């Protein structure tokens, strides 16, 4: 279900926003405002808070659930993130004063509450000739 | 942003939202000719036309409205996500307020069903990760339940109210033959926790239209002003901690607060003066949050309005009297004009079984993708 379980060649669906390494490493790209230090996801051309320049940075890949839901509709990928017919989704506040972002959560309808610790993973979406296309998702952080 | 000179709603028209399948063009012309008939003018009297659509092809509207008459006037198509109808009304009002024309018309339309559009379907190939709008609004609800102890029953009560208001609206998509109970709403098909299918807007096709004019324009056509546009506000997001920059619904509900209070300032009233209210209630939690954002209740106390019946038709602040998005429907483009239709009917005392007692001030709020927000205040004159 996560990176370790899919083909060795993992293709990010949005390569400007995240990258997956061959051994399960996840990199989330963002921007930091040069003048005020505010972090943004996805990467920006200019800072939405100042209009000034930004620097491309790698964001934390762990965070905390700010809110969540469970959607009772099929996830349009080859692998069900819940193991069932629906999927969980959440807004995640990334660590290190990182931005909030939306993502699919690996697990079922009772697996998450506000405050649950999570880490970023690759969720297989579809198979391409070059490898497995994956989207950015989150799963419960293990101790 | 204030109106430069008084603007009045001269006429409104709708085709029924949803209902039997029919060509979208028929809906467009039904709404447009109804508004012209309501205003007691002909299309030749219209000096500029704003079309509104979210999902129709770029030249669809200009093609359809040729049947109103090739009069050579400026025709502009407006698109601003779910707020499109609010946006096209705003543009028509400001074309008059700014003095460019004396009579302006707007017609908005969409038919998600015929185009196979499903806003609740995840699109995982989207760069933002494909989380659907209903998931975003449901996440608002889960956070609300966490912060203020709101229960699912509160959301069900809001939805049941709107379903039952729609029973008296002949243009509503949902027209239940029998009263809808809170238990039926709770027991409906789960969509996205905590929302069920009866807590969410249906998205059949539809069209709606409005004609607005200056005092001079109305006088020249022999019309008596009945409804004044007291305020029209257009706002977009401001940055705050936790701001989302990617997703179907990114903006915070705070935008509603800002747009509402700017409209109050423009109209010279406060929230306590509102007599009939229309919200962007695509999901039940939205209506609850907007009660507080526009000042009908203090933060965290909106639930009380629901249990005390304050937002029922007979309450102090009647909300979604035509059924709102949940009952009347939300095709996309025309939804904001359906709000104007309902407020105008209410303020003229023509809302039939939906009529609230002697309303003077009507308020409409609509958002687009959580990133833009329009508010309008109408006054009976």
């Amino acid at each position: 279900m996560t990176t370790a379980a899919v083909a060795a060649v993992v293709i990010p669906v949005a390569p400007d926003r995240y990258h997956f390494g061959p051994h399960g490493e996840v990199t989330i790209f963002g921007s930091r405002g040069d003048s005020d230090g505010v972090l943004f996801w996805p990467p920006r051309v200019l800072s939405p808070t100042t209009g000034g320049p930004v620097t491309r940075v790698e964001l934390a890949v762990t965070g905390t659930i700010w809110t969540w839901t469970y959607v009772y509709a099929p996830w349009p990928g080859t692998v069900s993130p819940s193991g069932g017919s629906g999927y969980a989704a959440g807004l995640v506040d990334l660590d290190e004063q990182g931005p909030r972002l939306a993502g699919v959560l690996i697990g079922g309808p009772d697996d998450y509450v506000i405050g649950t610790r999570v880490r970023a993973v690759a969720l297989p979406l579809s198979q391409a000739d070059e490898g497995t296309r994956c989207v950015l998702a989150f799963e419960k952080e293990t101790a | 942003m204030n109106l430069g000179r008084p603007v009045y709603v001269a006429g409104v028209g709708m085709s029924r939202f949803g209902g039997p399948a029919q060509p979208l063009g028929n809906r467009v012309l039904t709404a447009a000719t109804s508004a012209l008939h309501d205003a007691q003018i002909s299309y030749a009297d219209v000096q500029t036309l704003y079309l509104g659509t979210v999902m129709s092809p770029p030249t669809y509207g200009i093609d359809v409205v040729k049947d109103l008459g090739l009069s050579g006037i400026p025709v502009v198509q407006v698109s601003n996500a779910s707020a499109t109808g609010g946006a096209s009304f705003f543009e028509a009002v400001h074309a008059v307020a700014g003095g460019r024309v004396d009579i302006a018309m707007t017609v908005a339309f969409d038919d998600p069903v015929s185009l196979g559009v499903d806003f609740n379907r995840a699109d995982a190939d989207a760069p933002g990760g494909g989380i659907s709008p209903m998931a975003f609004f449901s996440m608002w609800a889960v956070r609300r339940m966490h912060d203020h102890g709101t229960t699912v029953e509160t959301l069900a009560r809001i939805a049941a109210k709107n379903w039952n208001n729609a029973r008296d609206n002949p243009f509503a998509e949902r027209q239940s033959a029998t009263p809808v109970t809170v238990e039926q709403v709770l027991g409906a098909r789960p969509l996205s926790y905590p929302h069920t299918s009866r807590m969410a807007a249906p998205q059949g096709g539809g069209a709606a239209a409005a004609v607005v004019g200056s005092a001079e324009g109305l006088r020249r056509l022999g019309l008596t002003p009945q409804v004044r546009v007291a305020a029209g506000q257009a706002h977009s997001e401001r940055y705050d901690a936790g701001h989302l920059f990617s997703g179907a619904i990114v903006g915070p509900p705070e935008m509603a607060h800002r747009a509402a209070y700017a409209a109050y300032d423009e109209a010279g009233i406060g929230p306590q003066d509102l007599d009939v209210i229309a919200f962007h209630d695509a999901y039940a939690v939205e209506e609850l949050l907007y009660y507080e954002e526009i000042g009908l209740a203090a933060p965290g106390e909106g639930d009380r309005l629901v249990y005390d019946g304050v937002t029922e038709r007979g309450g102090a602040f009647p909300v979604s009297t035509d059924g709102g998005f949940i009952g009347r429907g939300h095709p996309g483009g025309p939804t904001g004009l359906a709000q104007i239709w309902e407020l105008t009917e209410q303020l003229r005392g023509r809302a039939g079984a939906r009529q609230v007692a002697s309303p003077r001030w009507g308020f409409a709020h609509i958002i687009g993708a959580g990133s833009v927000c329009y508010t309008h205040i109408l006054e009976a004159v």
Side-chain angles (χ1 to χ4, degrees), chain B residues 275-297:
Chain B
D275 299 307
V276 56
I277 296 159
F279 280 140
H280 184 290
D281 60 317
Y283 295 87
V285 70
E286 288 189 86
E287 183 169 315
L288 176 65
L289 296 178
Y290 300 142
Y291 291 160
E292 298 169 12
E293 295 294 345
I294 77 157
L296 304 184

Side-chain angles (χ1 to χ4, degrees), chain A residues 66-99:
Chain A
W66 188 77
T67 186
W68 64 277
T69 187
Y70 190 83
V71 180
Y72 294 89
W75 174 251
T78 53
V79 174
S80 166
S82 67
S85 59
Y87 63 95
L91 300 185
V92 177
D93 285 337
L94 295 181
D95 290 342
E96 301 166 17
Q97 286 78 51

Side-chain angles (χ1 to χ4, degrees), chain B residues 225-274:
Chain B
Q226 293 180 287
V227 175
R228 182 174 73 95
V229 183
Q233 291 286 325
H235 287 241
S236 61
E237 300 162 80
R238 285 182 180 167
Y239 178 80
D240 198 0
H243 202 100
L244 292 176
F245 285 91
S246 182
I249 305 296
V250 296
E254 175 276 337
M255 196 167 43
H257 176 88
R258 197 161 16 94
Y261 278 81
Y264 299 151
D265 285 347
E266 185 179 350
I269 64 170
Q272 72 280 358
D273 297 310
L274 300 181

Side-chain angles (χ1 to χ4, degrees), chain A residues 17 66-67 69-70 72 133, chain B residues 125 139 143 191-193 246:
Chain A
R17 299 177 174 215
W66 188 77
T67 186
T69 187
Y70 190 83
Y72 294 89
R133 300 174 68 247
Chain B
D125 274 307
M139 289 192 278
R143 186 72 203 190
L191 274 186
S192 178
Y193 177 78
S246 182

